[in-house]
Amino acid sequence: MAETARRAENRYGNRPTMKDVAARAGVGLKTVSRVVNGEPGVTPDTERRVQEAIDALGFRRNDSARVLRKGSTASIGLVLEDLADPFYGPLSRAVEEVARAHGALLINGSSAEDPDREQELALALCARRVDGLVVIPAGDDHRYLEPEIKAGVATVFVDRPAGRIDADAVLSDSFGGARAGVAHLIGHGHRRIGFIGDMPRIHTAVERLRGYRAAMEDAGIPVEDSWMSLGVTDPERVRRAAEKMLSGPSPVTAVFAGNNRVTVTVVRVLAEHGRRIALVGFDDFELADLLQPGVTVVAQDAAALGRTAAERLFRQLDGSLVTPERIELPTRLITRGSGELPPAD
C-alpha cells in the first residue's frame, strides 16, 4: 500500500513552487523570481544554479492571477479538436459536470486539428497551473507533456491515444463500429461499398478504414482503390470523393462515411443527384432521424467518453491510479432506413 502511494505521488505529485526551487538552489525567493522573470541583478553562477534547480524539478511559472483554493487552481484544461463540431458538445459538457462535482472549473480551447496549436494550447494551460488536462489530440507526438506529467499535471487523452508517451486513453471502438456498419451494408446485398474518411494521420480515421477493410475481407469482397478516400473533411473534398465514387461504369451502391461531417456532405450530394444510395455514417448527428430516409449511423457515446475521461483524471489527482490504461467504449448501430436500402442494380 505504501509503495503504491509513493508511486502515485511520483507520477501525480504536487506542482513544484518557487520555494522548492529556492531551497534546491540554496538562494532566496527573490533571486528565483528574478531568474524566472528575466530580471537583472543575478550573477551568472547563481542564475545557472537556479536554472538547474528549475530543470530538475520541472518547475513552471504560474501565469494565473486567480487562485481558487489553497495550493491549487482547482481547474482543469480541455483541449478539443474543433469547438464547432457537434460531437464535442456533449463530451465537453460531461467533462464540465464531473469537474464541477469536484469543485473545479473547466477551461477549454480548440486545436483546430493543428498539432502545433495543440501543443501551444496545452502548455499554455499548464503555465496557468491547471491541475489536469483532458486532450483530444491533433498530433502524434506528446513527449512535450512529459515534464508536465512528472510535475504533477494529471493527463487523460480522449477519442485518440497519446503518441510516444504512456498515458491514459479513453476511446470508442472505431474499428468494431466501422466493421459492424459495413457488415450491415453487406448484409443488405451491397458489394461495391465506398469509404470516405478523415485524414490518414488521425487514429480514428485509420481504425475506421481498418474496420471497413475487415468487413469486406470477412465477406470475401475485393476492395478497389477507387472506393476509398481519406483526407480533410472539408465539404468540397468530400463532395469530389463522393461524386467520383458515384460515377463511372461501375459506381458504388453504398457509402460508409467516416464521421458526422462527412456524412452530412454525402447526404447533400445524394439529395442533389436524386440518387437512392445506401448510406451508413459513423457518429450520430442532429436531425438524422428526420431525413427521408433517416440516416443509419454507428453511434458513439460522446458524453460517456467525456465523463469516463474526467472521472479517471480526478482519480489520478487523488492518487488512486498509478498505471495508465486504455479504455475502449462500445458503439451501437442505429438503423433508420438509409443503411437498409438495397442495391439499385
Side-chain angles (χ1 to χ4, degrees), residues 79-83 85 88 110-113 136 160 202 261:
V79 180
L80 299 165
E81 178 197 43
D82 183 359
L83 288 170
D85 189 332
Y88 295 116
S110 172
S111 69
E113 301 183 25
I136 291 92
R160 307 161 188 170
I202 294 176
R261 287 167 290 183

Side-chain angles (χ1 to χ4, degrees), residues 158-290:
V158 186
D159 193 40
R160 307 161 188 170
R164 307 185 73 175
I165 64 170
D166 191 18
D168 279 318
V170 181
L171 318 172
S172 291
D173 182 9
S174 286
F175 169 76
R179 189 177 193 174
V182 175
H184 184 72
L185 290 168
I186 294 169
H188 283 81
H190 295 278
R191 294 295 179 269
R192 300 196 303 274
I193 303 171
F195 175 90
I196 305 177
D198 210 329
M199 293 181 288
R201 65 175 173 80
I202 294 176
H203 171 80
T204 49
V206 173
E207 286 297 286
R208 291 167 196 175
L209 176 61
R210 193 166 70 87
Y212 161 82
R213 284 183 171 279
M216 298 292 273
E217 183 179 346
D218 290 344
I221 303 172
V223 176
E224 297 184 14
D225 290 342
S226 61
W227 295 352
M228 298 175 291
S229 177
L230 273 72
V232 295
T233 55
D234 174 80
E236 286 307 310
R237 199 284 299 183
V238 175
R239 176 181 295 275
R240 288 194 299 270
E243 290 177 342
K244 185 176 180 181
M245 290 180 186
L246 295 170
S247 62
S250 183
V252 299
T253 64
V255 173
F256 184 84
N259 64 34
N260 54 6
R261 287 167 290 183
V262 173
T263 305
V264 169
T265 300
V266 173
V267 167
R268 289 197 173 107
V269 171
L270 296 180
E272 291 168 6
H273 286 254
R275 305 281 294 274
R276 286 181 64 82
I277 301 295
L279 171 66
V280 174
F282 202 109
D283 290 337
D284 206 355
F285 62 97
E286 192 174 4
L287 305 182
D289 58 327
L290 298 182

